[in-house]
Amino acid sequence: MDCPDCGNDRTRVIDTGTSTDGMSVRRRRECQRCSFRFTTYERPEWNSLQVKKRDGRIESFSREKLRAGVERAVEKRQVTEKAVTDVVDTIESELQDHETCIVPSRLIGELASEKLRDLDQVAYIRFVSVYKAFSEPEEFLRELDAVLDAELDDFGRSTPQNLSDNL
Ligand SMILES: [Zn+2]
């Protein structure tokens, strides 16, 4: 980092800290020739979609991971390979349209449950049970009730017993 004052390329770091938003590293530098002091900010360059996890960690979006989650939910259901690809494609493009490069993992979970709900009710419940069960058990049970009620209304022949056999 060249000195902004005299152009000397030898500067030393005299203090390092984190910026207030927590997203960059702030370095106080001093030119070794003219002793001019200045501050630099270093931030990661997000050139691809990043996911912020519940615990605050940030990792690159993985299409494979999303696909694996969807596939697990639709296992042994009447859902085609193409339908799975469509769900993954739609979610990915909705995430790309998001105004920031960092999306919360919760958003991916919500988008996936939304698509699965339209695709297959059992897959939907399986998915929601995996991604919501630990943090929001009550909400999960409410959703389960709602789906079971809907199945009974839509297809009089279904019973809660044989639906849970499928889970
Ligand atoms: Zn200087």
Side-chain angles (χ1 to χ4, degrees):
M1 186 80 204
D2 293 352
C3 168
D5 197 31
C6 73
N8 173 30
D9 63 359
R10 294 180 63 86
T11 59
R12 70 189 180 95
V13 175
I14 52 178
D15 188 35
T16 300
T18 308
S19 69
T20 42
D21 64 3
M23 297 298 293
S24 61
V25 175
R26 187 181 51 77
R27 288 200 170 91
R28 191 75 184 139
R29 292 172 187 268
E30 188 185 70
C31 173
Q32 292 187 345
R33 187 162 72 189
C34 73
S35 298
F36 182 77
R37 291 187 173 189
F38 60 104
T39 305
T40 56
Y41 295 90
E42 207 174 89
R43 52 178 70 234
E45 187 180 40
W46 308 116
N47 48 16
S48 62
L49 195 60
Q50 304 290 318
V51 180
K52 186 168 187 175
K53 321 251 294 180
R54 269 206 201 98
D55 62 11
R57 276 181 305 129
I58 291 175
E59 62 179 39
S60 296
F61 169 73
S62 160
R63 192 186 152 87
E64 292 67 39
K65 226 183 234 181
L66 172 61
R67 190 178 177 102
V70 172
E71 274 173 352
R72 213 174 306 130
V74 303
E75 207 181 330
K76 295 190 185 127
R77 300 294 299 165
Q78 303 280 357
V79 175
T80 63
E81 188 81 18
K82 186 187 176 304
V84 171
T85 304
D86 286 349
V87 165
V88 175
D89 283 349
T90 310
I91 295 171
E92 194 177 7
S93 79
E94 284 176 21
L95 293 173
Q96 305 282 10
D97 288 346
H98 207 252
E99 69 271 23
T100 62
C101 292
I102 307 178
V103 297
S105 58
R106 178 182 43 79
L107 178 67
I108 302 179
E110 277 163 16
L111 290 173
S113 355
E114 203 177 280
K115 314 299 168 212
L116 286 170
R117 187 166 48 208
D118 297 339
L119 193 65
D120 184 278
Q121 302 253 284
V122 171
Y124 165 66
I125 282 299
R126 283 178 182 156
F127 185 85
V128 169
S129 70
V130 170
Y131 116 86
K132 267 187 182 163
F134 300 106
S135 60
E136 301 153 60
E138 281 156 33
E139 189 177 336
F140 167 63
L141 289 175
R142 265 203 308 278
E143 305 236 15
L144 180 61
D145 282 346
V147 168
L148 292 177
D149 287 348
E151 286 260 318
L152 286 172
D153 293 346
D154 292 354
F155 324 96
R157 59 183 184 284
S158 290
T159 66
Q161 283 75 27
N162 68 30
L163 180 66
S164 18
D165 287 348
N166 287 331
L167 290 175

